[in-house]
């Protein structure tokens, strides 16, 4: 099996790297981290012009009609650049709209996403911080041809700039399984009853608490079948896990390249530190483990893209990539020495993301438990 990028994907990768170098320097990353909104409309519009925001949207809805594997290329370059704008949130919410949304919903929302006018945010996790169905306690109660949503969503990425939420709520209770009775809704982020509070995170990305208090949603904004939203969420989480893997691998590429370059420049006791065996061993191991993680990621993403069963492969890829990214961003700081621990040095940006990213859309321990279950244990 050939998991190398296609010629089109190589061109996309080159374009994305040049775009990030031109529009998204590390100085802007720090500026956006410190800004409460953390958004640049000029960059967002340029991304829309390149078709990235509508890459997975079918052409009939003004998209490009590309594949998920193509977006893996983009996610990887965004991870390399420590990208903060809401591309991840919007693309992850676009996938269920494309696969499970009604024709009316597709016509209403997909062209706006492709043009950059509409930003989505996934309102899934709650105070329990779990991605399991049992963690969804937000309620949606039918009232005529509308639903009233009440509950608190926590760790919601990019809520501060979202135009719409893709919100998971429980529409039936006392079911025998927690997966039953959950429904997905498209919720206007600006309607009365929604309160958004920014949260401080180790990576300084944009996460929020979102409180829904008697928020009215029309019946036509149910995505998929009523009470049967969790299978859509499970597939969404697989896509999100692979997108996060790609981001981590992009960041890991930056770490190994810059650590190797620094090891040839920094002189200790009259010789570059890269000439010492211990540093060579560290860098060789770093390069090899990142390479393995990337192949895991590409294989699982390819299975997902092809619609093949891949729960085990996704869990293996995410748990391995998370461990690798956390371990080697820590080693990157050690190789750079004291300066690598400062907020001003670029290495610190990756170190902080290396602490957070492995926990998103499945932490390594819970994913290894899932692999064990797939093994019949």
């Amino acid at each position: 099996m050939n998991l190398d990028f296609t010629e089109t994907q190589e061109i996309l990768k080159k374009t994305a790297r040049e775009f990030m170098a031109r529009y998204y320097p590390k100085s802007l990353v720090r500026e956006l981290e410190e800004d409460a909104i953390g958004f640049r409309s000029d960059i967002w519009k340029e991304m829309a012009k390149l078709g990235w925001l509508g890459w997975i949207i079918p052409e009939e809805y003004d998209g490009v009609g590309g594949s998920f594997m193509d977006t893996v290329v983009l996610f990887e370059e965004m991870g390399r650049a420590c990208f903060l704008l809401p591309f991840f949130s919007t693309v992850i919410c676009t996938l269920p709209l494309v696969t499970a949304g009604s024709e009316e919903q597709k016509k209403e929302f997909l062209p706006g996403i492709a043009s950059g006018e509409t930003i989505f945010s996934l309102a899934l996790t709650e105070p329990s911080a779990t991605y399991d169905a049992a963690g969804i306690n937000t309620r949606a109660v039918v009232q005529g041809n509308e639903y009233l949503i009440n509950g608190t969503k926590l760790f919601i990425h990019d809520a501060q700039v979202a135009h719409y939420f893709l919100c998971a709520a429980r529409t039936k209770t006392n079911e025998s399984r927690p997966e039953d009775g959950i429904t997905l809704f498209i919720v206007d982020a600006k309607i009365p009853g929604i309160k958004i509070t920014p949260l401080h995170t180790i990576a300084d990305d944009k996460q929020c608490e979102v409180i829904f208090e008697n928020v009215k949603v029309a019946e036509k904004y149910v995505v998929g079948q009523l009470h049967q939203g969790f299978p859509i969420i499970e597939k969404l989480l697989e896509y999100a896990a692979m997108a996060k893997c790609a981001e981590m691998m992009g960041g890991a590429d930056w770490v190994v390249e810059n650590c190797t370059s620094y090891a040839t420049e920094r002189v200790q006791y009259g010789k570059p530190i890269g000439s010492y065996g211990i540093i060579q061993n560290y860098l060789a191991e770093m390069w090899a483990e990142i390479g393995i993680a990337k192949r895991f990621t590409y294989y699982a993403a390819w299975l997902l893209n092809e619609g093949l069963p891949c729960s085990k492969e996704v869990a293996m890829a995410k748990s391995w990539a998370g461990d690798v990214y956390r371990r080697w961003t820590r080693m990157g700081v050690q190789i750079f020495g004291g300066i690598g621990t400062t907020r001003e040095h670029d290495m610190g940006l990756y170190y902080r993301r290396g602490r957070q990213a492995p926990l998103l859309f499945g932490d390594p321990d819970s994913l290894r438990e899932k692999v064990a279950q797939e093994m019949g244990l």
Side-chain angles (χ1 to χ4, degrees):
M1 179 180 296
N2 184 1
L3 293 176
D4 293 337
F5 291 153
T6 65
E7 183 178 353
T8 300
Q9 288 165 351
E10 288 292 352
I11 293 171
L12 186 60
K13 179 185 179 74
K14 182 174 183 291
T15 303
R17 188 163 299 188
E18 291 173 351
F19 180 92
M20 294 299 163
R22 178 179 179 184
Y23 291 103
Y24 201 76
K26 292 294 192 299
S27 58
L28 180 58
V29 177
R30 294 184 178 83
E31 182 183 321
L32 293 177
E33 282 186 347
E34 295 173 2
D35 183 79
I37 301 300
F39 184 72
R40 281 280 299 269
S41 60
D42 55 337
I43 296 176
W44 193 249
K45 289 176 182 175
E46 290 298 323
M47 292 168 62
K49 288 178 185 176
L50 290 169
W52 294 355
L53 303 177
W55 201 272
I56 57 168
I57 293 175
E59 294 180 66
E60 61 197 279
Y61 306 108
D62 300 341
V64 173
S67 69
F68 177 69
M69 277 302 295
D70 297 338
T71 65
V72 165
V73 175
L74 291 174
F75 283 121
E76 198 168 295
E77 289 305 311
M78 290 179 185
R80 181 184 176 91
C82 299
F83 196 69
L84 278 175
L85 272 61
F87 180 81
F88 190 105
S89 296
T90 300
V91 170
I92 292 307
C93 291
T94 302
L95 285 158
L97 292 180
V98 171
T99 57
S102 67
E103 186 62 25
E104 184 182 5
Q105 290 167 358
K106 291 176 183 178
K107 288 179 178 176
E108 181 173 351
F109 296 107
L110 296 183
I113 293 172
S115 68
E117 296 170 359
T118 302
I119 295 170
F120 264 81
S121 173
L122 177 63
L124 174 63
T125 47
E126 301 190 6
S128 64
T130 177
Y131 293 97
D132 293 338
I136 299 175
N137 293 304
T138 293
R139 294 286 309 277
V141 179
V142 66
Q143 191 173 78
N145 60 354
E146 293 181 325
Y147 285 84
L148 279 184
I149 299 181
N150 283 281
T152 298
K153 298 291 185 179
L154 209 53
F155 316 117
I156 307 307
H157 286 79
D158 304 313
Q160 83 286 355
V161 292
H163 299 110
Y164 293 94
F165 294 113
L166 190 61
C167 176
R170 195 165 290 282
T171 43
K172 288 177 75 177
T173 57
N174 301 321
E175 298 299 298
S176 57
R177 303 185 319 143
E179 294 86 351
D180 297 332
I182 293 173
T183 302
L184 270 179
F185 295 91
I186 298 170
V187 183
D188 187 335
K190 306 303 179 188
I191 60 175
I194 293 179
K195 181 182 178 183
I196 300 172
T197 304
L199 303 173
H200 179 69
T201 70
I202 188 173
D204 281 330
D205 57 356
K206 303 307 174 189
Q207 296 188 36
C208 301
E209 177 192 67
V210 182
I211 296 176
F212 295 80
E213 188 173 340
N214 293 324
V215 172
K216 294 181 179 178
V217 181
E219 187 179 19
K220 67 177 183 178
Y221 292 130
V222 169
V223 178
Q225 298 297 312
L226 187 67
H227 311 314
Q228 298 176 29
F230 201 70
I232 303 172
I233 294 170
E234 286 184 305
K235 186 55 67 178
L236 179 156
L237 290 174
E238 290 184 347
Y239 281 112
M242 287 301 91
K244 191 55 65 180
C245 276
E247 277 191 356
M248 290 192 289
M249 293 303 95
D253 265 348
W254 185 96
V255 171
V256 71
E257 288 173 20
N258 283 271
C259 284
T260 303
S261 176
Y262 185 66
T264 64
E265 297 168 0
R266 183 186 171 193
V267 175
Q268 286 284 8
Y269 305 111
K271 295 193 297 185
I273 62 171
S275 65
Y276 294 104
I278 185 67
I279 297 295
Q280 291 176 358
N281 286 344
Y282 283 145
L283 289 173
E285 195 175 354
M286 181 189 293
W287 184 81
E289 287 198 358
I290 292 170
I292 295 168
K294 289 176 80 169
R295 305 315 280 183
F296 268 148
T297 297
Y298 296 156
Y299 179 57
W302 176 82
L303 291 172
L304 198 55
N305 190 71
E306 296 298 310
L308 297 170
C310 58
S311 296
K312 182 173 66 179
E313 288 79 5
V314 167
M316 288 167 60
K318 179 64 170 49
S319 62
W320 177 257
D323 283 345
V324 166
Y325 196 40
R326 179 187 290 124
R327 179 162 55 250
W328 295 117
T329 49
R330 183 174 62 234
M331 179 54 65
V333 167
Q334 292 180 21
I335 289 174
F336 274 96
I339 193 171
T341 65
T342 64
R343 198 167 183 83
E344 290 71 27
H345 195 276
D346 290 348
M347 187 62 235
L349 296 172
Y350 296 89
Y351 175 81
R352 288 188 282 118
R353 284 156 178 77
R355 309 277 78 71
Q356 183 207 47
L359 303 177
L360 300 175
F361 307 105
D363 64 90
D365 286 343
S366 68
L367 292 169
R368 278 190 282 270
E369 185 178 339
K370 188 169 187 177
V371 174
Q373 291 170 354
E374 292 283 337
M375 294 167 65
L377 299 172

